[in-house]
C-alpha cells in the first residue's frame, strides 16, 4: 500500500551472486538491510537478485538507481574472477576503475608488499569518483558512488559496513509498527474490517500474516506508519471493527 507515512527516502537492494540463485548460499543480508534502513527512516521498496553476469548487474543497477534514492548492493567484491560488481558499477556510471592507494596500503600493512597478489589487488579497485565505505570487521572496504553503496556479501562484514552507510543516509521519521493478533479466524472474516481501516488511513501500511500450527490458526495484523498518534488511533479502530465482525479472540501483541 505504498511507503508507510509517505515522503520518506526510498531504497532498493541488489543481491549479486550465482550462489544465491542456485540455493547453495542462503541470503540473510536482505533482512538485516531492511531492518537497518527502517531504523534510519528509509523505506526499502524493492529487492532483486541477479547472477554474476556483467550485463545483468548493470541493467538492474541502472534501473534501480534511477527509481530510488538509494541502492545497496551485496556480493561480488572479492578476489576471484567472478567477483565483477566493481566492474559492473563502473560500467553503469560510465567511469574507469583504479586501484585505491588507501586500500593497497591496508593490504601491504596486513600481508606485506610481496604478498599483495593480483587477485588481492582486485579488491582494491574503486570507480573513479567513488568514496570508501569502512570495513570494521576484516578485509578491504566497500565503496559508494552516486546513490549506490557497494557492500560485501559475507553477512558479518556487510553488517559492519552498514555502520558507515548510516550517517550518509537522509531518511525521514522512523516507521513504527503495532500488531493485533487474531486467533481462530481465517482471513475471509478479517478482510473487510482490515480493508476499511486501511482505506481510512492511506498513509499507513496494513498487512495480514496468517499463521498455522498445533496451537491453532489465525493472523497477525501488522500496522505500520510514521505518525504514532495516527497509529494508536488506527489500532483502536481496527480492534473495534474486528469485534463488530464477530471476532472475539484478539489481542494486541508487542511488535518486534
Amino acid at each position: 500500500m505504498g511507503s508507510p507515512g509517505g515522503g520518506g527516502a526510498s531504497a532498493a537492494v541488489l543481491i549479486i551472486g550465482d550462489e544465491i540463485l542456485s540455493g547453495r548460499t542462503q541470503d540473510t543480508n536482505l533482512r538485516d538491510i531492511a531492518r537497518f534502513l527502517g531504523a534510519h527512516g528509509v523505506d526499502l521498496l524493492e529487492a532483486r537478485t541477479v547472477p554474476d553476469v556483467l550485463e545483468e548487474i548493470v541493467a538492474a543497477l541502472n534501473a534501480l538507481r534511477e527509481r530510488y534514492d538509494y541502492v545497496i548492493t551485496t556480493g561480488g567484491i572479492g578476489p576471484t574472477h567472478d567477483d565483477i560488481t566493481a566492474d559492473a558499477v563502473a560500467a553503469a556510471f560510465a567511469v574507469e576503475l583504479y586501484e585505491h592507494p588507501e586500500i593497497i596500503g591496508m593490504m601491504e600493512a596486513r600481508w606485506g608488499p610481496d604478498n599483495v597478489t593480483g587477485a588481492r589487488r582486485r579488491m582494491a579497485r574503486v570507480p573513479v569518483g567513488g568514496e570508501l565505505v569502512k570495513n570494521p570487521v576484516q578485509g578491504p572496504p566497500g565503496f559508494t558512488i552516486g546513490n549506490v553503496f557497494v557492500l560485501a556479501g559475507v553477512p558479518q562484514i556487510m553488517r559492519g559496513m552498514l555502520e558507515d552507510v548510516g550517517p550518509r543516509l537522509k531518511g525521514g521519521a522512523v516507521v513504527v509498527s503495532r500488531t493485533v493478533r487474531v486467533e481462530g479466524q481465517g482471513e475471509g472474516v478479517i478482510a473487510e474490517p482490515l480493508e476499511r481501516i486501511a482505506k481510512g488511513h492511506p498513509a499507513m501500511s496494513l498487512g495480514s500474516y496468517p499463521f498455522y500450527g498445533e496451537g491453532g490458526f489465525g493472523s497477525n495484523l501488522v500496522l505500520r506508519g510514521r505518525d504514532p498518534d495516527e497509529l494508536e488511533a488506527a489500532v483502536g479502530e481496527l480492534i473495534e471493527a474486528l469485534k463488530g465482525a464477530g471476532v472475539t479472540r484478539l489481542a494486541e501483541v508487542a511488535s518486534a
Side-chain angles (χ1 to χ4, degrees), residues 81-115:
H81 72 283
D82 58 343
D83 288 313
I84 58 172
T85 299
D87 303 83
V89 173
F93 282 88
V95 298
E96 298 293 324
L97 286 170
Y98 75 103
E99 291 185 348
H100 198 291
E102 185 175 336
I103 302 179
I104 294 293
M106 293 177 187
M107 291 179 172
E108 291 179 345
R110 180 178 180 184
W111 294 306
D114 295 337
N115 292 317

Side-chain angles (χ1 to χ4, degrees), residues 12 17 25 46 68 93 123 155 161 186 222 252:
T25 300
E46 186 173 348
Y68 301 107
F93 282 88
M123 297 186 290
M161 289 180 173
V222 180
E252 187 181 351

Side-chain angles (χ1 to χ4, degrees), residues 8-255:
S10 62
V13 171
L14 183 60
I15 302 165
I16 300 167
D18 293 340
E19 68 279 7
I20 301 296
L21 290 169
S22 69
R24 291 191 300 272
T25 300
Q26 182 178 6
D27 176 72
T28 59
N29 288 332
L30 179 59
R31 174 201 64 195
D32 294 335
I33 293 171
R35 292 174 176 174
F36 184 86
L37 291 175
H40 285 78
V42 177
D43 296 327
L44 178 58
L45 299 182
E46 186 173 348
R48 298 189 190 184
T49 304
V50 293
D52 297 311
V53 177
L54 185 75
E55 295 78 12
E56 296 284 346
I57 300 170
V58 171
L61 184 60
N62 279 335
L64 295 173
R65 71 189 182 93
E66 291 177 5
R67 185 173 184 181
Y68 301 107
D69 296 310
Y70 302 109
V71 179
I72 296 178
T73 79
T74 67
I77 59 173
T80 61
H81 72 283
D82 58 343
D83 288 313
I84 58 172
T85 299
D87 303 83
V89 173
F93 282 88
V95 298
E96 298 293 324
L97 286 170
Y98 75 103
E99 291 185 348
H100 198 291
E102 185 175 336
I103 302 179
I104 294 293
M106 293 177 187
M107 291 179 172
E108 291 179 345
R110 180 178 180 184
W111 294 306
D114 295 337
N115 292 317
V116 181
T117 63
R120 285 172 171 166
R121 297 182 81 96
R122 285 179 56 82
M123 297 186 290
R125 299 176 306 148
V126 173
V128 173
E131 300 178 0
L132 299 185
V133 174
K134 295 177 182 177
N135 176 359
V137 182
Q138 66 177 18
F143 61 85
T144 178
I145 180 170
N147 62 340
V148 176
F149 294 92
V150 179
L151 310 184
V154 178
Q156 182 182 8
I157 299 176
M158 190 283 301
R159 290 193 297 268
M161 289 180 173
L162 279 176
E163 297 306 319
D164 193 34
V165 172
R168 311 185 198 204
L169 301 175
K170 297 179 180 179
V174 175
V175 174
V176 290
S177 67
R178 301 275 290 275
T179 299
V180 176
R181 184 179 179 88
V182 175
E183 297 182 353
Q185 295 284 0
E187 287 190 295
V189 175
I190 63 179
E192 191 280 328
L194 186 64
E195 181 180 9
R196 189 178 350 133
I197 303 305
K199 288 181 176 179
H201 298 273
M204 292 178 52
S205 169
L206 284 75
S208 174
Y209 304 92
F211 60 85
Y212 306 91
E214 294 182 358
F217 69 97
S219 291
N220 287 316
L221 309 181
V222 180
L223 300 82
R224 302 174 68 242
R226 286 190 163 87
D227 185 335
D229 293 334
E230 182 182 13
L231 184 62
E232 181 75 23
V235 169
E237 293 170 19
L238 178 60
I239 290 175
E240 289 305 312
L242 290 168
K243 290 179 179 178
V247 177
T248 57
R249 296 171 59 192
L250 59 88
E252 187 181 351
V253 298
S255 299

